[in-house]
Amino acid sequence: MMKFLMMFIFMIPLCFMKNMFWLVQMMLMLIMFIFMNLSLNINNFCNLSYMMGCDLISFGLILLSIWICMLMVMASESLYKNNFYINFFLLNIIILLIMLYLTFSVLNLFMFYLFFEGSLIPTLMLIVGWGYQPERIQAGMYLLFYTLFASLPMLMGIFFIFDYLNYLTIYFMKFFNMNLYLLYMSMILAFLVKMPMYFVHLWLPKAHVEAPVSGSMILAGIMLKLGGYGLLRILILFQNIGMKMNFIWIIISLLGGLYISLNCFCQVDMKSLIAYSSVAHMSLVIGGIMTMNYWGYLGSYIMMIGHGLCSSGMFCLANINYERLHSRSLFMNKGMMNFMPSMSLWWFLLMSSNMAAPPSMNLMGEISLINSLVSWSWLSMIMLILMSFFSAGYSLYLYSYTQHGKYNLSIYSFYTGVSREYLMLILHWLPLNMLILKIESFMIWF
């Protein structure tokens, strides 16, 4: 695992070389393919080196991190053309990738906390440095304070666990159960804010709307998954108390997910709508993890990988429109099928994946999550039916509003999609729909 960290560190000088934008993309893709060939043990952590290791949960999320960071560089071509501090932008992405890689691969709970919080700083720099509007400062503050407010109790909880167990190795924690309500609350609150759960989700739409396309991609693709990964790791410690208390989070998630799904129909900003749809999908993931059964863990993991690819692709599409019309409003982005018929196909493919149509990973994830939640309580069926229906509704709403209708007459200069944009969308859509062919591997992992 250390060799990959060294690869990322030695990529830093590339960021400051002239016209090396393309080389950073190629290197990230190469590292990803090397990482895919790691030999993995089904049951345990493997490839141990120093404080790092890799098991099958972290393997998939590290792959997703490298893939999304490579696509972020590809999506930010306009920065390269305008020479808008491109060297610092690439440096920021590499540092963010190093932080994410370490978050998913460290075996020590305190080091996990350190890098979990450390990944916030490059994200904040992306939003504040390369965002579009003056409100980006406020969005950055929301992001910072929501996350830090929830994570300080978690730090206290980690110190308490160390005082109690005398070690913080994540793998050995499965041999202990801690029945302390305050500790349980302090440890999972940071992850619920990061997911984000309804009631603590307000930072996400704000951050998405103000962030550049790369910031939105990393927020939707990876940052929300940090919360899910943390819950999958931490809940092992709280199995007994989780059986008593988790119903609170399941109820909040299901009711909140339904309300957010309805809220999506009220949005007029494309990015805001996609951000709220992310909250609705993540509420299902929280529900699945909190049931603490096999289907819930499996479904939440598949859903996290699928949503990371799908949501990131949708932000790319929104940005493709924004680069041409300089507006994210649905009132301005109308009748795009007249101008970009080929891009309309990609809108349809990614929207269908977002509403969990086959053969996307989202479908497999939703089926597993519905299994877990219905086995937990039959009453959850009502919420799940409504959430699935409205999920399809707002996906169709966004597609039909942007692609159909009378186009805006103020457009006087326009160009259709370029090959870079189509490649970027293919690289989102192919893994999202092709990984379903190897879905039995996911089942073996758990």
Side-chain angles (χ1 to χ4, degrees):
M1 296 300 284
M2 187 59 82
K3 67 186 174 191
F4 293 104
L5 181 60
M6 288 297 139
M7 285 180 196
F8 294 134
I9 290 170
F10 281 109
M11 276 180 68
I12 290 175
L14 284 181
C15 303
F16 295 99
M17 292 167 75
K18 197 170 175 64
N19 295 331
M20 284 299 167
F21 195 75
W22 61 274
L23 189 59
V24 174
Q25 285 179 53
M26 292 300 110
M27 288 295 290
L28 285 173
M29 192 174 271
L30 180 66
I31 291 170
M32 204 207 76
F33 284 121
I34 296 169
F35 189 80
M36 279 171 74
N37 291 323
L38 276 182
S39 55
L40 288 169
N41 187 325
I42 296 297
N43 300 315
N44 298 319
F45 283 92
C46 51
N47 302 295
L48 299 174
S49 54
Y50 296 90
M51 60 178 181
M52 292 185 288
C54 181
D55 75 339
L56 291 153
I57 301 175
S58 52
F59 177 71
L61 289 165
I62 291 169
L63 273 182
L64 183 65
S65 302
I66 304 170
W67 191 247
I68 295 289
C69 284
M70 186 265 295
L71 291 169
M72 279 165 69
V73 179
M74 198 183 285
S76 304
E77 188 82 7
S78 58
L79 297 180
Y80 180 65
K81 284 177 185 168
N82 303 327
N83 199 17
F84 191 58
Y85 298 106
I86 190 67
N87 299 338
F88 290 106
F89 176 76
L90 291 173
L91 176 68
N92 207 359
I93 287 181
I94 298 299
I95 290 171
L96 179 56
L97 182 55
I98 289 169
M99 288 289 183
L100 290 168
Y101 176 75
L102 287 166
T103 308
F104 290 128
S105 61
V106 289
L107 303 175
N108 183 291
L109 193 56
F110 178 73
M111 298 308 286
F112 168 72
Y113 172 83
L114 191 70
F115 295 121
F116 174 78
E117 291 306 320
S119 62
L120 191 69
I121 298 163
T123 315
L124 193 66
M125 300 280 276
L126 268 179
I127 293 170
V128 175
W130 286 272
Y132 296 124
Q133 292 152 339
E135 288 86 3
R136 62 183 185 263
I137 308 293
Q138 187 193 13
M141 286 297 146
Y142 265 65
L143 172 67
L144 191 66
F145 281 99
Y146 261 90
T147 313
L148 289 182
F149 178 76
S151 60
L152 192 63
M154 183 186 164
L155 183 62
M156 299 295 108
I158 290 170
F159 290 158
F160 180 85
I161 291 170
F162 182 69
D163 190 50
Y164 186 81
L165 299 179
N166 288 320
Y167 63 82
L168 285 172
T169 310
I170 292 169
Y171 180 71
F172 295 124
M173 286 185 181
K174 65 184 179 184
F175 302 119
F176 283 91
N177 257 318
M178 304 191 91
N179 288 320
L180 297 163
Y181 288 93
L182 202 59
L183 180 66
Y184 166 79
M185 291 293 286
S186 66
M187 289 302 284
I188 68 167
L189 188 63
F191 300 128
L192 292 174
V193 170
K194 201 77 170 181
M195 286 287 280
M197 185 182 71
Y198 185 69
F199 290 133
V200 283
H201 69 283
L202 281 175
W203 63 270
L204 186 73
K206 271 195 175 298
H208 271 308
V209 166
E210 304 306 329
V213 60
S214 50
S216 288
M217 285 168 74
I218 202 71
L219 268 172
I222 312 295
M223 286 301 176
L224 307 189
K225 315 304 171 274
L226 284 173
Y229 175 77
L231 284 177
L232 288 172
R233 293 281 189 231
I234 285 294
L235 280 176
I236 293 168
L237 258 180
F238 302 105
Q239 289 176 43
N240 290 347
I241 195 170
M243 299 303 274
K244 298 174 196 166
M245 296 287 288
N246 281 357
F247 75 94
I248 299 169
W249 315 118
I250 297 175
I251 291 167
I252 292 172
S253 294
L254 289 176
L255 290 171
L258 177 59
Y259 177 71
I260 289 288
S261 300
L262 289 167
N263 199 17
C264 285
F265 289 101
C266 306
Q267 303 302 315
V268 290
D269 185 317
M270 280 194 298
K271 265 191 162 184
S272 185
L273 199 154
I274 300 165
Y276 275 113
S277 79
S278 291
V279 180
H281 280 106
M282 285 296 113
S283 66
L284 265 181
V285 171
I286 295 172
I289 293 172
M290 290 299 179
T291 54
M292 297 182 79
N293 59 26
Y294 171 82
W295 279 110
Y297 268 50
L298 172 73
S300 59
Y301 181 72
I302 294 173
M303 187 75 161
M304 283 195 289
I305 302 284
H307 176 265
L309 291 162
C310 182
S311 192
S312 174
M314 284 161 66
F315 279 113
C316 282
L317 282 168
N319 183 65
I320 287 166
N321 279 15
Y322 180 77
E323 283 179 354
R324 288 155 175 75
L325 298 176
H326 302 289
S327 171
R328 293 187 310 267
S329 170
L330 285 175
F331 299 122
M332 300 293 282
N333 288 276
K334 281 204 286 197
M336 299 306 286
M337 198 181 272
N338 298 307
F339 295 109
M340 295 192 287
S342 305
M343 198 61 78
S344 190
L345 169 70
W346 287 104
W347 271 95
F348 169 73
L349 289 173
L350 280 162
M351 286 301 151
S352 63
S353 296
N354 191 49
M355 66 168 84
S360 69
M361 285 179 77
N362 291 20
L363 176 72
M364 181 64 201
E366 278 202 21
I367 290 170
S368 305
L369 290 169
I370 288 167
N371 255 340
S372 75
L373 284 159
V374 172
S375 67
W376 178 78
S377 166
W378 271 98
L379 286 172
S380 63
M381 179 73 95
I382 303 160
M383 290 297 165
L384 291 167
I385 289 167
L386 291 170
M387 279 174 73
S388 297
F389 177 74
F390 290 128
S391 167
Y394 61 68
S395 299
L396 282 170
Y397 165 70
L398 180 56
Y399 174 76
S400 58
Y401 220 108
T402 51
Q403 301 309 306
H404 298 159
K406 193 172 188 301
Y407 57 84
N408 190 3
L409 293 172
S410 63
I411 301 169
Y412 58 89
S413 171
F414 207 83
Y415 64 100
T416 54
V418 292
S419 55
R420 171 187 61 87
E421 291 167 345
Y422 289 121
L423 175 63
M424 190 168 63
L425 294 168
I426 288 167
L427 293 178
H428 277 108
W429 187 83
L430 270 183
L432 174 62
N433 288 272
M434 292 301 118
L435 281 172
I436 198 87
L437 300 174
K438 293 297 289 177
I439 209 72
E440 74 277 2
S441 311
F442 289 98
M443 296 193 171
I444 295 167
W445 291 5
F446 284 85

